[in-house]
Amino acid sequence: MSATPSAADAYAPTDRTVPTRSRERASYDRELVHAILDADYLCHLGFVRDGAPVVLPTLYARVGERLYVHGSTGSRPLRGAGEDTGLPVCLTVTHLDGLVLARSAFHHTINYRSVVVHGVARQVTDPAERSAALDALVEHIVPGRVADSRPANAKELAATAVIALDLHEVSAKVRTGGPGDDPEDLALPHWTGVLPVTRAYGTPEPADDLDPSIAAPGYLTTR
Amino acid sequence: MSATPSAADAYAPTDRTVPTRSRERASYDRELVHAILDADYLCHLGFVRDGAPVVLPTLYARVGERLYVHGSTGSRPLRGAGEDTGLPVCLTVTHLDGLVLARSAFHHTINYRSVVVHGVARQVTDPAERSAALDALVEHIVPGRVADSRPANAKELAATAVIALDLHEVSAKVRTGGPGDDPEDLALPHWTGVLPVTRAYGTPEPADDLDPSIAAPGYLTTR
């Protein structure tokens, strides 16, 4: 929206996106936020119900500056998002990248990349946008799959709800690198370093009723 | 607390632990809840700040019917948990086990195991319990590590805060198995089945300043 490159390349920090600790790990860089969001598809969506917090795992996809979250029309957060005011939410995505083992128990930590999005979620009511959002969800989770599955029909689209959350109030937090032991601990005899952690995909398991002549597609076997 | 075996083996469902959809996937079985919690160490902790939801990734460990969550004394949720009333939270743990690819886009889903805990988190003020909780956190994340690292000293313990959340209002949700295509889609030419997903550990990466004669310990290399 702004003409200045710096504003276009970063989200504006707000009171609730500036962390109270480890501020040096926080970033508002748009490209970094997009990269972290695009590298996952499972988020934790928080909302308030009867004054108390609720956090549920949900699938999401990013399209430009908007996140789409999928769910049935009967689920709690989606009902709230259908009301006129929308639903205040906090959507968080966390990649665990490593266990960081210091010589001292105190300095043990993890390497991670996370994004926290604050905003008001709204139901997507436009049929064309909802259909496009569902395609984006399937394609984001399994690239190549939209062209290799039966598209949703009108009845299925009517039974599915999608909520949208715009990327305005957003921050990323990243920790990388090795342990940070205190100088007086460097001579201790304990191994120290990082145990890398990743998400791994196994061999595709065909459904019992799959025609055996249909081979697993390349977009799965090369993942 | 109850003398009846059925009550001892399960958490009592409440209004907010009975899901509005996919009720057949919900469970209150204590053993299942413990197994899901013990198989992970990264949770998403939700709380309410100025009326809006906040969801942050955090490390946790279970000790009996209590979860311990770690953080510095300056972090937002921990400050709230130090007040007399405690901090209402929702702590959610989700294992992603597989991407479920149906022939129809509509029936795509994921296999997962999740636990949602509602309750009031409180700061652990007893020094002995706090020290034990920190040991539990390190040992839960890297079994074998407490005996192979320098224990926290008094200054470090004072700078660390731990919050406790008791397991009273708890539910698990599990989806397993293959896709559930509609009968009229069974002859479609698309591959269908499950792509398994796991958390994988890589080769331990020694810190730059590690004495090269110190080998990576077995509790890391066999993980």
Side-chain angles (χ1 to χ4, degrees):
Chain A
M1 306 293 155
S2 166
T4 62
S6 61
D9 294 345
Y11 298 100
T14 68
D15 176 52
R16 58 185 179 181
T17 64
V18 175
T20 48
R21 61 193 186 109
S22 304
R23 288 194 184 195
E24 75 286 357
R25 294 181 190 162
S27 168
Y28 308 92
D29 182 79
R30 196 177 299 268
E31 206 172 318
L32 175 67
V33 165
H34 288 184
I36 293 172
L37 290 172
D38 293 352
D40 205 341
Y41 41 78
L42 183 70
C43 66
H44 281 80
L45 184 73
F47 55 98
V48 179
R49 182 170 179 254
D50 299 335
V54 179
V55 179
L56 297 178
T58 321
L59 298 168
Y60 73 92
R62 181 182 71 86
V63 176
E65 292 298 322
R66 180 166 285 185
L67 297 181
Y68 291 108
V69 177
H70 173 256
S72 96
T73 49
S75 73
R76 280 175 186 148
L78 290 164
R79 282 203 309 257
E83 292 164 11
D84 287 347
T85 53
L87 180 74
V89 298
C90 179
L91 186 153
T92 301
V93 172
T94 308
H95 303 269
L96 176 64
D97 291 326
L99 307 182
V100 182
L101 285 77
R103 296 169 179 91
S104 61
F106 181 73
H107 282 298
H108 278 64
T109 185
I110 58 170
N111 283 338
Y112 63 93
R113 291 162 292 150
S114 68
V115 163
V116 176
V117 182
H118 296 273
V120 175
R122 295 179 189 282
Q123 285 239 21
V124 177
T125 52
D126 177 65
E129 184 183 6
R130 194 162 61 195
S131 177
L134 287 169
D135 279 356
L137 280 158
V138 170
E139 194 68 12
H140 178 56
I141 299 167
V142 185
R145 187 63 181 173
V146 164
D148 189 22
S149 56
R150 176 179 65 69
N153 58 36
K155 188 180 152 200
E156 290 169 342
L157 280 175
T160 313
V162 177
I163 59 175
L165 175 63
D166 287 340
L167 296 174
H168 287 310
E169 198 170 350
V170 185
S171 61
K173 214 167 169 187
V174 176
R175 191 204 188 275
T176 59
D181 265 314
D182 297 323
E184 58 268 33
D185 289 332
L186 296 183
L188 289 175
H190 311 300
W191 186 90
T192 178
V194 175
L195 184 65
V197 183
T198 54
R199 177 177 290 168
Y201 294 92
T203 304
E205 300 169 347
D208 293 340
D209 58 9
L210 178 68
D211 177 345
S213 72
I214 301 178
Y219 56 78
L220 292 184
T221 54
T222 60
R223 187 148 179 167
Chain B
M1 304 296 154
S2 165
T4 62
S6 61
D9 294 345
Y11 298 100
T14 68
D15 176 52
R16 57 185 179 180
T17 65
V18 175
T20 49
R21 60 193 186 109
S22 304
R23 288 194 184 195
E24 74 287 357
R25 294 181 190 163
S27 168
Y28 307 92
D29 182 79
R30 196 177 299 268
E31 205 172 319
L32 175 66
V33 165
H34 288 184
I36 293 172
L37 290 172
D38 293 353
D40 205 341
Y41 41 78
L42 183 70
C43 66
H44 282 81
L45 184 72
F47 55 98
V48 179
R49 181 169 179 253
D50 299 335
V54 179
V55 178
L56 297 178
T58 321
L59 298 168
Y60 73 92
R62 181 182 71 86
V63 176
E65 292 298 323
R66 180 166 286 185
L67 297 182
Y68 291 109
V69 176
H70 172 257
S72 96
T73 49
S75 74
R76 280 176 185 147
L78 290 164
R79 283 202 309 257
E83 293 163 12
D84 287 348
T85 52
L87 180 74
V89 298
C90 179
L91 186 153
T92 300
V93 172
T94 308
H95 303 269
L96 176 63
D97 291 327
L99 307 182
V100 182
L101 285 77
R103 296 169 180 90
S104 61
F106 181 73
H107 282 298
H108 278 63
T109 184
I110 57 171
N111 282 338
Y112 64 93
R113 291 162 291 149
S114 68
V115 163
V116 175
V117 182
H118 295 273
V120 175
R122 295 179 189 281
Q123 285 239 20
V124 177
T125 52
D126 177 65
E129 184 183 5
R130 194 162 60 194
S131 177
L134 287 169
D135 279 356
L137 280 158
V138 170
E139 194 68 13
H140 177 56
I141 299 167
V142 185
R145 187 64 181 174
V146 164
D148 189 22
S149 56
R150 176 179 65 70
N153 57 37
K155 189 180 151 201
E156 290 169 342
L157 280 175
T160 313
V162 177
I163 59 175
L165 175 64
D166 288 339
L167 295 174
H168 288 309
E169 198 170 349
V170 185
S171 61
K173 213 167 169 186
V174 176
R175 191 203 188 275
T176 59
D181 265 314
D182 297 323
E184 58 268 33
D185 289 332
L186 296 182
L188 289 175
H190 310 300
W191 187 90
T192 177
V194 176
L195 184 64
V197 183
T198 54
R199 177 177 290 168
Y201 294 92
T203 304
E205 300 169 348
D208 293 340
D209 58 9
L210 178 68
D211 177 344
S213 71
I214 302 178
Y219 56 78
L220 292 184
T221 54
T222 60
R223 186 147 178 168

